[in-house]
Amino acid sequence: MLDAPKGLRLHIGLFGRRNVGKSSLLNALAAQSVSIVSNTPGTTTDPVEKTLEFAPLGPVVFLDTAGLDDEGELGTQRTERTLAVLPRTDMALVVTAENVWGHYEETIVSRLREQAIPFLVVMNKTESSVASKDRLPDAMRGLPMVCASAKTGEGLETIRRELVRLSPGESLHEAQLVADLLPEKGVVILVVPIDSGAPKGRLILPQVQTIRDALDGRKLCLVVTEGELGAAFACLKEPPALVVCDSQVVRRVALETPQSVPLTTFSILMARLKGDLPLLAAGAAAIGNLKPGDSVLMMEACSHHPQQDDIGRIKIPRLLQQYAGGELRFDMCAGKSLTDCPGSYDLIVHCGGCTLTRRQMLGRLRSAQSRGIPMTNYGVAISFTQGVLKRVLTPFPDALAACEPAHETCHDAQSKTNKESGWRGYIFIGPR
């Protein structure tokens, strides 16, 4: 928690054939030895992530990849892993030797254009002779290009300037998580449960990021557990401008928070920061349409050790089956690639995506849309099942409007569940 999270860093990928100097170029740009360099082709076998401060872009992640021309069965797997980093690449450096351009370079440039990833061609190792753009292969003409030498340092400053020029506009102006929802010196109460599922000695990433964003915005932040929420209200002279809680205590917090005080959850804040909150809110409508035998994909961005009552593997599946009135088929996908989870589903429920970049999260949403699969996230799904979806989306008018069909489905499904089961009130997640 002492460094900028990877999910908030600009990701810059280095692509090219073996032995064109990708790792040497990265070391030269970073002004430190961050990647192994060797004259032996294929030294880099798997994508290597290096986080660093890269002025003037700030915190970035460089992705050093294996050569696109790697050979053999293992080489094919390495190339596949290289291409698999494209969905999390914000910008790319296509590194090539002097005046070398062919199938491999054309292929990666085509992939970058297809995915709208800005790129810069770097003609590396030009110290042996004077590189001339007049002698470029015809296919290279018109491409954004810099001649450089990782050995002598030639062209490195030009690469830095070009990366700034090519960077997505929002990368230089970090989006706010919660500060823009608060007035000047506004007070936000953060409700953070501390239980067996909480990481020892620290808070989870969305909670830490929300605290920091409030501080950056010069807002007043009061952090309490759910048991102290009433005391927090009592100690304030004026009601807070906003309450943010963990999704798993959203029903309890909604009951204790006056209707006049806006309420939302950490997961919904992350959905707005990283993805398309209106789309995720609309996707919640599919929960009310689930029936026994339907299939649901649970997706997580990071690979964590499952807890005894894991939210994505136990708690949310239990809630969804209560809504469906019978057993559903669940698959779990944890990691960075949607292609690891083939198949057709009636619903995808994604985690908050705190370790993903916005580009990665939007890419997963687009993939689900292209396959005609409704998608929502953990926080939205829990709020839906607890009957408080409209309440927690009130701070976000566009998402609130998008969730109307989901709210109607939620009301109908909840009434049906209550009638069939004899329950009165909400479905409980259980103790946290």
Side-chain angles (χ1 to χ4, degrees):
M1 298 304 175
L2 300 178
D3 297 317
K6 286 185 179 180
L8 296 181
R9 292 174 178 262
L10 194 69
H11 283 51
I12 305 172
L14 286 85
F15 302 93
R17 305 188 196 204
R18 292 174 295 170
N19 212 29
V20 295
K22 298 186 296 297
S23 298
S24 296
L25 181 64
L26 173 54
N27 289 345
L29 288 170
Q32 55 183 289
S33 181
V34 296
S35 284
I36 298 175
V37 175
S38 169
N39 290 327
T40 303
T43 300
T44 302
T45 57
D46 284 320
V48 176
E49 295 186 355
K50 177 58 183 177
T51 59
L52 52 86
E53 295 291 325
F54 190 72
L57 290 176
V60 302
V61 176
F62 275 104
L63 303 167
D64 189 12
T65 64
L68 295 168
D69 61 336
D70 214 338
E71 300 174 337
E73 183 178 347
L74 284 177
T76 299
Q77 294 181 32
R78 291 167 184 162
T79 301
E80 290 174 352
R81 291 197 175 191
T82 290
L83 297 176
V85 308
L86 286 175
R88 52 192 174 105
T89 301
D90 297 301
M91 293 190 296
L93 297 177
V94 179
V95 185
T96 182
E98 185 177 350
N99 295 330
V100 173
W101 196 263
H103 166 73
Y104 298 108
E105 291 78 17
E106 289 288 346
T107 297
I108 192 63
V109 166
S110 176
R111 293 284 192 100
L112 292 168
R113 284 173 167 165
E114 286 174 2
Q115 300 189 34
I117 301 172
F119 66 90
L120 175 68
V121 177
V122 178
M123 191 186 296
N124 194 26
K125 298 186 176 182
T126 58
E127 66 272 5
S128 59
S129 62
V130 179
S132 172
K133 292 186 178 181
D134 294 334
R135 295 186 283 113
L136 292 177
D138 291 340
M140 294 183 70
R141 298 183 185 277
L143 296 176
M145 191 191 71
V146 171
C147 295
S149 169
K151 182 176 181 180
T152 68
E154 176 192 355
L156 296 185
E157 285 304 316
T158 304
I159 293 174
R160 291 188 178 95
R161 289 197 299 270
E162 286 297 294
L163 286 174
V164 173
R165 183 182 66 83
L166 292 171
S167 64
E170 65 271 15
S171 66
L172 298 177
H173 306 281
E174 187 176 313
Q176 292 180 308
L177 188 61
V178 71
D180 61 321
L181 302 175
L182 305 170
E184 184 178 0
K185 306 301 181 185
V187 177
V188 57
I189 296 179
L190 306 182
V191 185
V192 178
I194 301 297
D195 63 4
S196 60
K200 185 176 180 59
R202 60 185 176 89
L203 302 178
I204 62 173
L205 187 55
Q207 295 163 357
V208 173
Q209 288 182 231
T210 304
I211 294 170
R212 177 57 192 264
D213 188 69
L215 295 176
D216 285 342
R218 302 301 186 264
K219 312 302 180 183
L220 307 180
C221 183
L222 180 58
V223 185
V224 301
T225 67
E226 69 274 27
E228 285 67 53
L229 179 58
F233 279 117
C235 76
L236 296 175
K237 293 182 179 180
E238 300 290 337
L242 179 68
V243 174
V244 183
C245 69
D246 187 284
S247 296
Q248 296 188 78
V249 294
V250 66
R251 178 180 178 270
R252 174 174 175 174
V253 172
L255 291 174
E256 295 185 20
T257 301
Q259 287 289 333
S260 58
V261 176
L263 168 67
T264 193
T265 70
F266 292 107
S267 185
I268 288 172
L269 290 179
M270 293 302 298
R272 181 178 74 129
L273 180 71
K274 295 297 182 72
D276 186 327
L277 180 56
L279 188 61
L280 291 167
I287 297 175
N289 297 324
L290 291 174
K291 58 186 182 300
D294 283 351
S295 58
V296 179
L297 175 62
M298 308 296 297
M299 291 194 70
E300 290 185 344
C302 59
S303 301
H304 69 272
H305 182 72
Q307 303 292 320
Q308 184 176 5
D309 202 16
D310 194 79
I311 185 172
R313 295 163 175 78
I314 304 297
K315 292 183 177 179
I316 293 179
R318 182 169 63 216
L319 286 173
L320 298 182
Q321 290 185 132
Q322 288 174 340
Y323 253 100
E327 290 190 3
L328 301 170
R329 295 186 294 111
F330 290 95
D331 287 335
M332 168 58 71
C333 175
K336 297 178 179 178
S337 176
L338 182 62
T339 57
D340 290 339
C341 304
S344 179
Y345 299 92
D346 298 289
L347 175 67
I348 296 176
V349 186
H350 202 289
C351 71
C354 59
T355 63
L356 293 180
T357 65
R358 179 170 172 80
R359 179 181 182 84
Q360 287 175 271
M361 192 67 227
L362 290 174
R364 293 188 175 195
L365 278 164
R366 285 193 295 269
S367 178
Q369 279 187 299
S370 68
R371 295 159 64 187
I373 305 173
M375 183 172 175
T376 190
N377 88 337
Y378 284 12
V380 175
I382 291 174
S383 294
F384 176 97
T385 62
Q386 300 301 283
V388 297
L389 184 57
K390 287 190 69 173
R391 174 79 190 275
V392 296
L393 290 179
T394 299
F396 316 104
D398 53 347
L400 184 63
C403 90
E404 285 299 332
H407 180 259
E408 293 174 5
T409 305
C410 171
H411 177 77
D412 293 343
Q414 185 69 70
S415 298
K416 178 177 180 292
T417 302
N418 290 344
K419 182 177 180 180
E420 292 179 352
S421 65
W423 293 347
R424 298 181 181 273
Y426 298 95
I427 295 176
F428 286 84
I429 296 177
R432 171 175 166 80

